[in-house]
Amino acid sequence: MKTILAAYPGVLKGTGSSILSALQDVPAVFWPRRSKMKKHLQVISVLQWVLTFLALGAASTLLLVYMFCTELWLIAAIYTAWLIVDWNTPKQGGRRSSWVRSWTVWTYFRDYFPIRLIKTHDLLPSRNYILGYHPHGIFCFGAFCNFSTEATGFSKKFPGIKPSLATLAGNFRLPVLRDYLMFGGICPVNKNSIDYLLSRNGTGNAVVIVVGGAAESLQCAPGKNTVTLKNRKGFVRLALQKGADLVPVYSFGENDVYKQVIFEEGSYWRALQKRLQKILGFAPCLFHGCGLFFGNSWGIVPYCKPIATIVGEPITVPKIEDPCVEVVDLYHAMYIKSLQCLFEKYKTRFGMKEDDVLYIQ
């Protein structure tokens, strides 16, 4: 300290402002660098979401059961009673919170990768939409950041449109986690929930469905452009039944944030993954990112890879209560063509080569 004061004699006899000015001139080695602190906050913001997805539901369930065996049993009983009364809320539009969607933590989450939302066409508030999101990746970081938070400015880019990201219905059976998800506008990916949003909730609703689901997550790897879509026609049939326009969405970079061990078709481990997928509803992937403290080590923190989410042109869909197979196939083919065109148009802008192809399986 004496060395510092000797180097800045004005500090000893100056005013408060001169002290502040002198301290600002002190070499940066004495102070934590702002950029480093910002990076730490970004890592924490992403890590909390990963841990929330992996462990919050199970941890909350165990805690609730444990509380029944303690003096806090009354609190556990009251919460359980409320949980039973509130059981159908996720299927009826949920409990969206603009405050939670606008938390500052999501801006750090966005900037870690970073994540961008790119609008190509307007979405009209007088219509309802089903947005097909591709690819799934491991944790759908792009889908969550763009459609369950306001970090990338969805409401400003698409005024009058209310997005609802659809995810596994099983998540909404777990205490605390269900509420956390609903605050972000996340809903169960089941017929009742989507039917409510598209039929009994007015217009201006956009349900975001990760079409490839768990099966697609087993295929994701850096530099791989494969989507599971060829036999996924349920979302098209639903769009026709509700008269909701179809919108293809592709996220460049979603597959790059983790490295995954992909087992060959027909192998024992692949069969085990598919078996567990049917039982659990999600695919147990063997993946890794970087370490929390050392960037060159393995861990669950995703790699800092840019994610650019492109919202494509809406496909106008008529309302047909009982669409025939031929009509469903027609609009499914139109959707695939639109998604491929979207990929081809933007691939070179986001780090891909001219000869890269989107594989539909």
Side-chain angles (χ1 to χ4, degrees), residues 49 109 133 135-145 165 210 254 307:
W49 169 245
F109 183 100
Y133 184 89
H136 184 287
I138 298 293
F139 285 110
C140 299
F141 288 117
F144 171 75
C145 185
L165 176 62
V210 185
E254 184 72 65
I307 298 175

Side-chain angles (χ1 to χ4, degrees), residues 4 16 46 51 57 60 64 82 90 94 103 117 140 150 155 199 214 233 256 302 305 324 329 331 349 357:
I4 297 174
V46 173
L51 295 178
S60 300
L64 186 64
W82 178 83
W103 277 352
L117 177 65
C140 299
E150 286 298 329
S155 294
S199 300
K233 301 179 181 180
D256 298 335
K305 300 293 183 179
C324 62
D329 288 345
Y331 280 92
R349 301 188 194 182
V357 178

Side-chain angles (χ1 to χ4, degrees), residues 160-182:
I161 302 297
K162 185 166 60 177
S164 298
L165 176 62
T167 188
L168 290 174
N171 290 326
F172 296 89
R173 301 187 187 104
L174 301 174
V176 183
L177 176 63
R178 67 190 295 275
D179 299 291
Y180 193 40
L181 295 178
M182 282 194 290

Side-chain angles (χ1 to χ4, degrees), residues 6 18 64 66 68 82-83 111 124 128 155 159 169 174-175 191 205 216 238 257 269 279 288 298 308 328 337 351 356:
S18 64
L64 186 64
Y66 171 75
F68 273 108
W82 178 83
L83 196 62
D111 293 340
L124 303 177
N128 283 329
S155 294
L174 301 174
K191 187 175 181 180
N205 299 290
E216 191 173 86
L238 186 60
V257 298
W269 292 109
I279 297 172
H288 74 85
W298 287 12
V328 173
K337 181 65 176 178
D356 283 335

Side-chain angles (χ1 to χ4, degrees), residues 8-20 22:
Y8 299 94
V11 172
L12 296 175
K13 56 182 179 180
T15 62
S17 59
S18 64
I19 293 175
L20 179 60

Side-chain angles (χ1 to χ4, degrees), residues 16-307:
S17 59
S18 64
I19 293 175
L20 179 60
S21 177
L23 288 177
Q24 289 175 341
D25 292 335
V26 174
V29 70
F30 293 102
W31 310 104
R33 287 187 300 177
R34 179 174 295 182
S35 60
K36 194 171 184 179
M37 285 295 295
K38 188 175 181 181
K39 190 63 180 179
H40 289 331
L41 290 172
Q42 291 172 0
V43 172
I44 292 170
S45 69
V46 173
L47 187 60
Q48 67 84 23
W49 169 245
V50 172
L51 295 178
T52 292
F53 187 83
L54 291 176
L56 180 60
S60 300
T61 302
L62 292 174
L63 178 61
L64 186 64
V65 173
Y66 171 75
M67 288 174 65
F68 273 108
C69 303
T70 69
E71 296 178 352
L72 300 175
W73 67 269
L74 183 59
I75 296 176
I78 293 173
Y79 180 80
T80 302
W82 178 83
L83 196 62
I84 294 171
V85 172
D86 194 60
W87 193 253
N88 289 325
T89 298
K91 302 175 186 177
Q92 300 171 349
R95 193 163 33 246
R96 181 186 304 262
S97 170
S98 299
W99 176 64
V100 173
R101 287 173 58 88
S102 301
W103 277 352
T104 304
V105 66
W106 306 131
T107 63
Y108 289 110
F109 183 100
R110 174 200 66 199
D111 293 340
Y112 173 80
F113 296 94
I115 297 173
R116 297 169 57 194
L117 177 65
I118 298 173
K119 169 184 175 181
T120 63
H121 293 79
D122 289 331
L123 298 183
L124 303 177
S126 59
R127 299 285 294 173
N128 283 329
Y129 299 91
I130 291 181
L131 276 63
Y133 184 89
H134 313 269
H136 184 287
I138 298 293
F139 285 110
C140 299
F141 288 117
F144 171 75
C145 185
N146 288 307
F147 305 116
S148 295
T149 80
E150 286 298 329
T152 55
F154 182 93
S155 294
K156 293 180 180 178
K157 293 179 180 179
F158 300 98
I161 302 297
K162 185 166 60 177
S164 298
L165 176 62
T167 188
L168 290 174
N171 290 326
F172 296 89
R173 301 187 187 104
L174 301 174
V176 183
L177 176 63
R178 67 190 295 275
D179 299 291
Y180 193 40
L181 295 178
M182 282 194 290
F183 286 152
I186 300 177
C187 68
V189 61
N190 58 36
K191 187 175 181 180
N192 291 337
S193 174
I194 297 174
D195 177 77
Y196 181 91
L197 291 169
L198 297 179
S199 300
R200 290 174 283 173
N201 198 40
T203 58
N205 299 290
V207 178
V208 184
I209 300 177
V210 185
V211 179
E216 191 173 86
S217 67
L218 293 175
Q219 298 291 340
C220 73
K224 195 169 185 179
N225 311 305
T226 303
V227 298
T228 302
L229 180 59
K230 189 176 292 183
N231 297 316
R232 299 292 175 102
K233 301 179 181 180
F235 75 104
V236 177
R237 177 177 293 276
L238 186 60
L240 286 162
Q241 290 172 338
K242 305 304 175 186
D245 294 347
L246 288 166
V247 183
V249 179
Y250 195 87
S251 268
F252 293 93
E254 184 72 65
N255 283 346
D256 298 335
V257 298
Y258 281 115
K259 295 179 180 178
Q260 180 182 191
V261 177
I262 299 180
F263 300 105
E264 292 183 6
E265 289 291 342
S267 66
Y268 169 79
W269 292 109
R270 188 65 161 190
L272 179 61
Q273 282 181 315
K274 291 185 176 180
R275 180 81 177 192
L276 290 173
Q277 176 191 330
K278 291 181 179 180
I279 297 172
L280 302 174
F282 63 90
C285 304
L286 186 59
F287 66 92
H288 74 85
C290 57
L292 180 59
F293 301 105
F294 302 100
N296 57 353
S297 62
W298 287 12
I300 62 171
V301 180
Y303 293 108
C304 300
K305 300 293 183 179
I307 298 175

